Amino acid sequence: MKLEDVLSIVSESRNLYVWENGEIIAQYDGRDSIPEELNDRKIELVDCSNNDFHVYLIEE
């Protein structure tokens, strides 16, 4: 699954954090957007906690 697949189904009213190498590299919180260059990145794991989505990318 790619990041763009998750972005198309996640509610815009939820916070979404994109992780790589143990760090948040992008976030969506209603104001900030996810950089388009990340759309084709493959996902290792999606976790939902406290009404937030945490998406972990496969390290390149």
Side-chain angles (χ1 to χ4, degrees), residues 25-37:
I25 60 168
Q27 68 183 33
Y28 177 82
D29 59 9
R31 293 181 309 234
D32 298 322
S33 61
I34 305 296
E36 286 185 27
E37 60 266 15

Side-chain angles (χ1 to χ4, degrees), residues 29-54:
D29 59 9
R31 293 181 309 234
D32 298 322
S33 61
I34 305 296
E36 286 185 27
E37 60 266 15
L38 296 176
N39 283 347
D40 287 333
R41 296 288 306 277
K42 292 184 181 179
I43 294 175
E44 180 177 359
L45 174 71
V46 176
D47 183 32
C48 183
S49 62
N50 298 326
N51 224 14
D52 294 333
F53 283 91
H54 298 269

Side-chain angles (χ1 to χ4, degrees), residues 12-14 20 35 39-40 57:
E12 291 185 13
S13 64
R14 304 272 175 104
E20 183 178 46
N39 283 347
D40 287 333
L57 301 178

